Structures are given as structure tokens and as C-alpha cells.
Amino acid sequence: MLSLAKSSVPSVKWNLADIRSVMLPTRSFDAVVLSGCLSHLLAREATKLLIESVHAIREGGLLYASIMESDGMRMEQGSFEHAAFGGDLPFFCVRIGIQDIVAAFRGAGLELLALEKVGAFDTADPPWSVPETVLYARRK
């Protein structure tokens, strides 16, 4: 993905890093996108990333986050039944209560602009295809 991004937009500086250890410069971004990553981190790692992201957004800046929602936090582990690359691929997923994320956003000085459910809604679907909740917020 990084190679594709570099070839598509060569004028931009691209970095490859472990999201769990990224230190973002304070108030230096107009937007931060956390798509499909929070649910695959431990709760303490997801909290740290959210805090880092909030601090990185300039006044009026936007934060987009998608999470696999639950009525409370729980962790699931297993393997994908049909891996695109052959064999079973392990997965790790933390489901986060939406009320916890909304409270964290508001406590961090973010204005919640929208909250939207997207994705599969059939309970027979595999665990990784459950609905996600997408949150859009702005730094006040």
C-alpha cells in the first residue's frame, strides 16, 4: 500500500510506522483518520492512539474514527475462515462501547459532528464483518 501511495503521490513525504508507537506533533494536522485500526489494538493502545490523535489536530481540525461497536468492551480472537492469501490468518478484535468513545471525544474537547453505522448487519456473518460505527468530530 505504501509503494502504491508513493507512486501515486510522489510529492508527499510518506512514513511507515507502527501505529502503537507513533508520536504525532501537537496541533499540526488539519485531519486525522483512524480507519479500521482502533479495533485491532489493546484497550490501552487504542486509548493512547486516540489521545495522540486528538492532540495532533489543529483548532477546527477533524477526526474520523471507525470502531467495531459493542455494548461494552470485549476482546475476540480467532482466525479468518477464508484468507485471501491462503490458509487461516489470525485476527484480534476489541469491541468498544460507543458511549465510551463519545465520552472520550467530548472529554478531549472534540465536538461530535456525526455518528453513523456502516457495514454488515447479519448476525450470521463472520465476526470481522459486523457493523462499524464511524464518528466524525471537530476540535473546538
Side-chain angles (χ1 to χ4, degrees):
M1 293 301 290
L2 189 59
S3 295
L4 181 60
K6 285 179 180 180
S7 66
S8 298
V9 189
S11 60
V12 172
K13 180 183 175 188
W14 296 93
N15 295 307
L16 175 63
D18 185 331
I19 199 162
R20 295 170 297 179
S21 60
V22 169
M23 297 295 291
L24 302 172
T26 302
R27 306 238 177 179
S28 57
F29 292 94
D30 293 320
V32 171
V33 176
L34 301 174
S35 178
C37 59
L38 291 173
S39 297
H40 300 289
L41 299 173
L42 296 173
R44 68 179 181 279
E45 295 167 338
T47 300
K48 180 182 178 287
L49 178 58
L50 274 172
I51 291 168
E52 287 287 327
S53 300
V54 169
H55 289 300
I57 300 170
R58 291 185 178 122
E59 187 174 319
L62 303 172
L63 175 65
Y64 166 101
S66 64
I67 63 165
M68 296 177 93
E69 187 181 343
S70 169
D71 54 0
M73 188 173 294
R74 71 179 199 265
M75 183 171 37
E76 298 176 2
Q77 291 181 311
S79 64
F80 290 104
E81 294 176 33
H82 306 288
F85 303 106
D88 287 339
L89 292 176
F91 78 92
F92 172 84
C93 179
V94 175
R95 313 253 181 193
I96 304 169
I98 193 63
Q99 69 281 359
D100 296 331
I101 296 293
V102 169
F105 276 27
R106 290 188 174 138
L110 295 176
E111 171 191 7
L112 188 63
L113 301 174
L115 188 140
E116 174 182 344
K117 290 184 188 292
V118 297
F121 291 89
D122 186 348
T123 56
D125 288 331
W128 57 89
S129 64
V130 299
E132 284 189 280
T133 298
V134 176
L135 299 102
Y136 303 90
R138 178 183 301 129
R139 178 182 275 292
K140 296 177 187 177

